Structures are given as C-alpha cells and as structure tokens.
Amino acid sequence: MMRRKSREIRLGSLRVGGDAPIMVQSMTNTDTRDVDATVAQIGRLVQRGCEAVRLAVPDEAAARALRAIREASPVPLIADIHFDYRLAIAALEAGLEGLRINPGNIGPREHVDAVVDAAKAHGAVIRVGVNSGSVEKSLLQKYGGPCPQAMVESALNHVRMLEARGFYDTKISLKSSSVLDSLEAYRLLAASCDYPLHIGITEAGGLLRGTVKSAVGLGILLHEGIGDTLRVSLTADPAEEVTVAYEILRALGLRRRGPEIISCPTCGRTEIDLFALARAVEERLAGSTADIKVAVMGCVVNGPGEAREADLGLAGGRDKGIIFRKGNVIRTVRGQDALLAAFMEELQLLLKEKESA
Ligand code: SF4
C-alpha cells in the first residue's frame, strides 16, 4: 500500500497528514449545551481510542458551553458550524483546535474571510466539508447534479477562498452516502491537491449496514493510500464508530488498538455453546486497550490450530476443552460451565500481566 503524500498540518498537538498515523475521529450526539453529558461522552469516545472529537455548535448557547468542554477534553475538539460565522469565531475563542465548515453556507465572502483570519490567528485547522447535498446551484447546473466532479469542484473553489487569505492548514472531506460516488470523488480530489483528506461515508446507516458500507468504502480508499483522518458514521452509539474505525484500520494492517478476537463461525462439528463463550469474551474485552490476541474455537478438530497461534486460545469439545497459552496447552477442562470459568480466569490473568508489564 502506497500512501498518498499529503501536506502535514497540526490539529492542536496532533500531526495530521504526511506520515502521521491515520487519525480516528468521531462526533458527539449529546446536546452541546449540556456540558456534563458532552464531556462524559467525549470521555467514552477517548476510552475507545478516539483521537479528535467533533461537536455540533448550532447556536450561541452551544458556543458558550465550548470553553468548559474544551477545558475538560483530553483530545482536540472540532466545532461543526453551519450558517453563522460568529459561532465559528466563538469556537476559536473558546480554544477549539479545529472548525468544520462549508464556506458555501457561511454567507457573504467577508464572513468567510473573518472566520479564516480568526482560524489563522488561533492556529486552528479548518476542514472544508462538502457533501452531495451542499453543492452550489451553479455547479449542479453545470454538471446536471451533485456528481463527484461537482463535489470536487465545489471543494476546490472553497479551498481557494482560504488560500486567498494565506490559509493552508486545511483538510478536505467530500461525503456522499453512495460508496461508489465517494470513491470517485475522493480519487479525483486526491489527484488534484496535496491537502490531507478526511474520509467517511455519510449517513451510512445503523450498526450493521453502516459498518459494511464504511468498511467497503473506507477500506478501498485506504488501500489506495487515500485518507489521513477518518470517521465511521453510524446511526448508533458513537463509541461504536470508533471501534469499527479501528477494526477497518486493523484489517488493512494500518493500525492496531486493543485486543484481536478470533472466533470460528461454528458448524456441525461444534460441540459447545460457542456463541455464549464468544459473547462473554467480547464483553470482558470491550473497551480494553490490551494488545492481545484471543481465539475461541468450537471443536478440537480444527480449533487447536488457531487457538495455538493466539496469546490465549480455546478449542472447545463436548467431553473436554483445551486452553492454550502462547501455543502450549495449559489446561484441559471437562464441562461447558467449567470451561468458560477456567477460560475467563486465564483471560483475567493475562490482562493483569499486560497491565503490569
Ligand atoms: Fe467447525 Fe471446528 Fe471450524 Fe469451528 S473450528 S467452524 S467447530 S470445524
């Protein structure tokens, strides 16, 4: 995989683009005016590995809450602003490290200029976010609809407004709910500039559909070397977005975070309640940052192969199950309940060792 060469910019203390790790972002879905709820959700996102969080700032009351949220957040924050340029300036004054704007809906050029000048003065990053619904009328007429070419031209026109003020700390996103349009748009954009790109499939859907669409769309782009930051959009708890983002990056060998869990799909040879066992392991490891590989397999025929490869592995059988630690058999246990208890005991031990290492 050859990563596209992009300009490196800084979101607070974080490097974005260049050869920096591909950054995982998410967005809160709490009412930004509710400082406690928003800070608590940021905390949950960060616990899952989220590295920057975007917040909607729909009105002045939300803007007033930003200073307290900024003070409590351990990661850089990005204000999502539409229509009112004064909210963007308020967010910068509150210390937020980034803005996500669509200059096309901020109003007259002098308002855009005021936002860009303020971002420059505060050392903040601006993400120009274009989606298929926000393409200007003139481009819709020129191209006959919000096609990938229209989205790219819209984004580059907006970026030129920032460049005209001497501003280059820009990221760009082009979002469509169509995977194929997103691919085409990002490929075109990637070839047209060297700004870091934030990738995502917008309005992707619930946990299952959204995960599949995002994995396909973002997976293809990342494999082509496109994408410096990413967000998986799900109609679900935003913490799930972070977990899915890391699984996509892990599948491509781009980043690792937290445990890798391997479980077989079960078949006619399965002799234990593997679903319950796998669920118990997933629940125990939810939110864990331990770099371990755990395998739960349903039989003693094909299971031991995978189980042996893991830090902790189980090959379950009706009469007896085998527990492996780093390739060695450490326990042979009779009975499903005893097997689950023994495996969870060993998992606990492994996690403790990793914590104290
Ligand atoms: Fe079936 Fe065993 Fe393979 Fe699981 S590991 S799918 S139980 S053969």
Side-chain angles (χ1 to χ4, degrees):
M1 258 181 274
M2 275 280 286
R3 187 162 165 199
R4 164 182 170 265
K5 271 202 178 342
S6 60
R7 161 203 304 273
E8 185 177 306
I9 60 174
R10 273 189 185 266
L11 178 70
S13 58
L14 285 179
R15 296 192 302 126
V16 174
D19 62 356
I22 294 161
M23 186 204 285
V24 173
Q25 297 190 10
S26 184
M27 185 170 184
T28 50
N29 63 3
T30 50
D31 182 341
T32 306
R33 290 167 294 195
D34 185 340
V35 173
D36 290 346
T38 303
V39 168
Q41 192 172 62
I42 291 171
R44 285 197 297 279
L45 293 173
V46 172
Q47 208 184 18
R48 292 277 181 113
C50 188
E51 293 163 310
V53 178
R54 181 157 56 110
L55 312 111
V57 186
D59 56 25
E60 269 179 54
R64 276 198 297 276
L66 292 177
R67 199 174 291 275
I69 297 171
R70 172 56 273 151
E71 273 168 21
S73 171
V75 295
L77 299 178
I78 300 155
D80 191 86
I81 310 282
H82 290 277
F83 310 118
D84 190 343
Y85 79 107
R86 289 165 303 184
L87 298 176
I89 293 172
L92 294 167
E93 285 168 354
L96 269 66
E97 292 84 350
L99 296 176
R100 186 267 175 170
I101 57 169
N102 179 344
N105 71 23
I106 289 287
R109 183 67 180 259
E110 57 266 30
H111 290 177
V112 176
D113 289 350
V115 171
V116 176
D117 292 350
K120 202 171 181 189
H122 285 90
V125 160
I126 295 181
R127 165 149 73 93
V128 170
V130 170
N131 53 41
S132 47
S134 73
V135 175
E136 305 90 302
K137 265 201 190 118
S138 57
L139 291 174
L140 293 177
Q141 276 163 2
K142 178 175 168 184
Y143 289 102
C147 61
Q149 289 83 353
M151 286 168 65
V152 171
E153 192 168 328
S154 173
L156 293 176
N157 287 344
H158 292 331
V159 167
R160 269 179 220 120
M161 289 188 206
L162 277 56
E163 289 173 344
R165 306 298 289 179
F167 189 91
Y168 299 93
D169 291 333
T170 308
K171 280 193 292 175
I172 311 176
S173 65
L174 295 176
K175 292 202 193 161
S176 163
S177 56
S178 153
V179 170
L180 294 177
D181 283 354
S182 295
L183 294 178
E184 200 182 331
Y186 274 110
R187 284 173 182 146
L188 273 173
L189 182 65
S192 314
C193 68
D194 73 345
Y195 286 110
L197 302 184
H198 172 82
I199 58 173
I201 306 293
T202 196
E203 292 134 24
L207 192 56
L208 175 67
R209 279 169 209 275
T211 297
V212 172
K213 267 175 103 168
S214 297
V216 172
L218 303 185
I220 291 172
L221 286 171
L222 291 165
H223 193 256
E224 292 177 11
I226 298 172
D228 299 286
T229 65
L230 84 159
R231 180 200 175 193
V232 170
S233 301
L234 298 175
T235 312
D237 178 349
E240 301 290 356
E241 299 185 348
V242 180
T243 301
V244 173
Y246 276 104
E247 289 302 327
I248 293 172
L249 292 169
R250 185 205 297 272
L252 290 165
L254 292 168
R255 290 193 72 177
R256 287 168 64 106
R257 189 181 191 280
E260 181 174 1
I261 306 172
I262 292 166
S263 54
C264 81
T266 72
C267 71
R269 255 190 219 107
T270 316
E271 292 181 316
I272 56 167
D273 183 358
L274 193 75
F275 288 0
L277 200 67
R279 222 174 15 249
V281 171
E282 295 235 358
E283 274 165 21
R284 176 62 190 85
L285 292 177
S288 166
T289 53
D291 184 11
I292 54 170
K293 186 171 171 182
V294 176
V296 283
M297 311 296 290
C299 73
V300 287
V301 180
N302 290 332
E306 280 288 353
R308 222 178 245 125
E309 294 296 312
D311 293 301
L312 186 67
L314 173 147
R318 190 180 347 164
D319 299 328
K320 58 177 190 190
I322 307 165
I323 299 176
F324 294 86
R325 177 89 189 253
K326 284 256 175 225
N328 299 314
V329 176
I330 52 165
R331 287 171 86 160
T332 301
V333 186
R334 292 190 183 278
Q336 157 108 16
D337 292 348
L339 183 59
L340 175 62
F343 193 71
M344 297 312 274
E345 239 174 69
E346 294 298 333
L347 184 57
Q348 189 65 23
L349 260 173
L350 178 63
L351 290 171
K352 262 210 174 123
E353 281 172 26
K354 287 277 166 189
E355 270 164 29
S356 58

